[in-house]
Amino acid sequence: MDELEYHRCPQARSGPPGIVKALPAEWFVPHGTNAEMRWDTLPGAGPDTPVERFFVRNHTSTPLIDPDGWRLRVFGSGLRGPAVEFGLAELRRLPETALSAVIECAGNGRRFYATQQRQAVPGTPWELGGIGAARWRGVRLAEVLRRAGIVPGAVDVLPVGLDPEYLGEDGTNYGHVRRPLPVAKAMDDVLLAYEMNGGPLLPDHGAPVRLVVPGWAGIASIKWVGSLEVSTEPLHSPWDTDFYRLFGPAHPPGGSAPLTCQVVKSAFELARGAVLEPGRRHRLYGRSWSGRAAVRQVRVSTDGGVLWHRAHLWDDPHPGTWTRWSFDWRPERPGPYELRARATDDLGGTQPDTAEFNREGYLFGAVVGHPVRVG
Ligand code: MTE
């Protein structure tokens, strides 16, 4: 079945509806319209997540957009003049930039609020596979905004996705996925990306062009971007007022400020419940990341957090992307064990034992217990 045919009869395929690429069960865990990456597929994969194994987070379904007909419309009170349009070929002629960055869902790790902290939260029950790292190539958003004539008084940029409008569970139509980006971030390190790991973007990851907003919650990295409103007045959408804020007892009644930076996290490249042979050395691999700064140090415990050992870092840590690490472990006694990893970033941010509760289960940054069995 080709992709167009699939869009006519999505029920004919197994796996999350609306995702175009193949989702083999050994690589992905399906959740509604989303597909979670399985961490045990990563050993030996290199620093970036192969595109075919990259997680997918879709509010609705992947649109198939003709790259030749695609236009990016830039308009609004924050421009000196009228609306300006860019086609893909024009974007490709502008100075190009490449950067390595993870895209991570704000709800990554949400499942552990329930399983580790006994706190019920709604939403996609991601373990830690709502993340992927890639080498993105494109043009800086700042370059496009300058060429479009952004004025010094502009405060917000609102990218809008071309995927279908999002309907809530109660039938509320929230419109197209869109979320304002403060001009300070838009003019800093944000990319309008048209390539991922050396090839064109796949449809599921935003083809022909998506935003990549390093360090920020994945919702900021709008896929299939079709327009950018630039405004001298603050802009809002449900994605910065109703969703992607922290609500709950520790936060003001209207919620926290809209989520921006991700917290420090770590994951083992190992299945939960993996079985390891006793009496031989196992190299435990993992990755750690932080939205604010490069990872400085990772410590690993193999006894549920009693003793901690420094892990070996395999990458020069960089802000915006993850750092690979390993720890050699020779368990002698058969039985159940709990592995833990705790990372610290260059700003001193470190993973706590408990994540502060919020109603939607965002930003689970606590150390995650990883059960294995030796035997
Ligand atoms: N952009 C649009 N237009 N529609 C979406 O549903 N999902 C966002 C973001 N950009 C989304 C979007 C969320 S919540 C995340 S985590 C990332 O895309 C996921 O990117 P990926 O599917 O390429 O992994």
Side-chain angles (χ1 to χ4, degrees):
M1 175 161 42
D2 67 18
E3 284 174 359
L4 285 173
E5 198 184 338
Y6 154 57
H7 274 263
R8 266 182 247 118
C9 57
Q11 70 281 9
R13 252 175 57 143
S14 60
I19 296 180
V20 171
K21 70 181 180 184
L23 299 168
E26 63 272 26
W27 289 354
F28 293 102
V29 179
H31 298 294
T33 55
N34 314 301
E36 171 163 10
M37 177 202 73
R38 293 177 52 139
W39 270 92
D40 54 324
T41 67
L42 274 188
D48 297 322
T49 316
V51 287
E52 64 279 8
R53 289 189 231 167
F54 208 95
F55 85 108
V56 182
R57 162 69 176 118
N58 278 355
H59 281 73
T60 59
S61 58
T62 295
L64 293 176
I65 298 170
D66 168 19
D68 298 328
W70 175 85
R71 312 287 293 164
L72 176 66
R73 183 163 185 271
V74 190
F75 68 99
S77 60
L79 296 189
R80 239 187 332 269
V84 184
E85 287 198 355
F86 298 83
L88 186 55
E90 281 162 278
L91 283 192
R92 281 184 171 276
R93 279 197 294 273
L94 298 181
E96 64 172 39
T97 302
L99 59 85
S100 297
V102 296
I103 303 263
E104 183 189 16
C105 193
N108 196 25
R110 176 181 284 126
R111 185 180 160 84
F112 300 110
Y113 278 107
T115 60
Q116 199 163 286
Q117 301 190 175
R118 304 277 161 242
Q119 293 164 329
V121 287
T124 305
W126 303 101
E127 291 193 340
L128 286 168
I131 184 168
R135 183 90 184 140
W136 309 95
R137 185 180 297 280
V139 52
R140 282 185 177 278
L141 178 57
E143 179 76 32
V144 168
L145 294 176
R146 266 192 224 105
R147 284 173 192 256
I150 189 170
V151 298
V155 295
D156 273 340
V157 177
L158 183 68
V160 183
L162 292 168
D163 39 339
E165 294 179 338
Y166 173 59
L167 298 181
E169 273 167 22
D170 62 356
T172 307
N173 186 338
Y174 292 99
H176 290 288
V177 177
R178 61 202 189 283
R179 191 176 199 252
L181 197 57
V183 158
K185 181 69 173 171
M187 298 299 282
D188 181 15
D189 56 356
V190 178
L191 202 64
L192 278 164
Y194 44 69
E195 264 185 39
M196 183 177 181
N197 292 348
L201 282 185
L202 293 188
D204 294 313
H205 300 297
V209 176
R210 78 174 298 164
L211 285 190
V212 174
V213 182
W216 283 32
I219 185 58
S221 294
I222 294 294
K223 303 194 273 189
W224 315 293
V225 61
S227 64
L228 298 168
E229 178 177 356
V230 188
S231 174
T232 52
E233 299 293 327
L235 295 172
H236 292 289
S237 85
W239 283 268
D240 81 314
T241 54
D242 302 15
F243 323 129
Y244 299 100
R245 283 180 187 238
L246 305 178
F247 297 94
H251 303 287
S256 68
L259 294 186
T260 56
C261 282
Q262 293 278 21
V263 295
V264 191
K265 290 194 190 134
S266 302
F268 287 90
E269 297 178 2
L270 199 62
R272 295 176 69 74
V275 179
L276 306 174
E277 213 183 298
R280 57 161 283 237
R281 189 196 73 164
H282 296 276
R283 180 157 285 181
L284 304 173
Y285 288 99
R287 302 182 189 219
S288 298
W289 60 96
S290 160
R292 288 181 200 279
V295 166
R296 182 204 300 164
Q297 186 191 80
V298 180
R299 289 183 177 271
V300 169
S301 169
T302 56
D303 56 9
V306 180
L307 295 175
W308 290 86
H309 317 272
R310 198 183 269 244
H312 173 79
L313 304 188
W314 289 94
D315 299 310
D316 280 342
H318 284 289
T321 194
W322 54 26
T323 303
R324 292 172 297 167
W325 47 260
S326 70
F327 176 68
D328 289 346
W329 182 42
R330 188 187 162 98
E332 300 296 344
R333 257 181 317 107
Y337 289 79
E338 189 186 274
L339 310 178
R340 295 189 188 182
R342 187 194 307 274
T344 302
D345 72 19
D346 263 341
L347 291 174
T350 197
Q351 295 183 252
D353 289 327
T354 310
E356 189 176 78
F357 171 80
N358 64 90
R359 207 181 63 202
E360 316 302 327
Y362 295 129
L363 305 187
F364 188 92
V367 171
V368 172
H370 190 118
V372 295
R373 170 162 291 282
V374 172

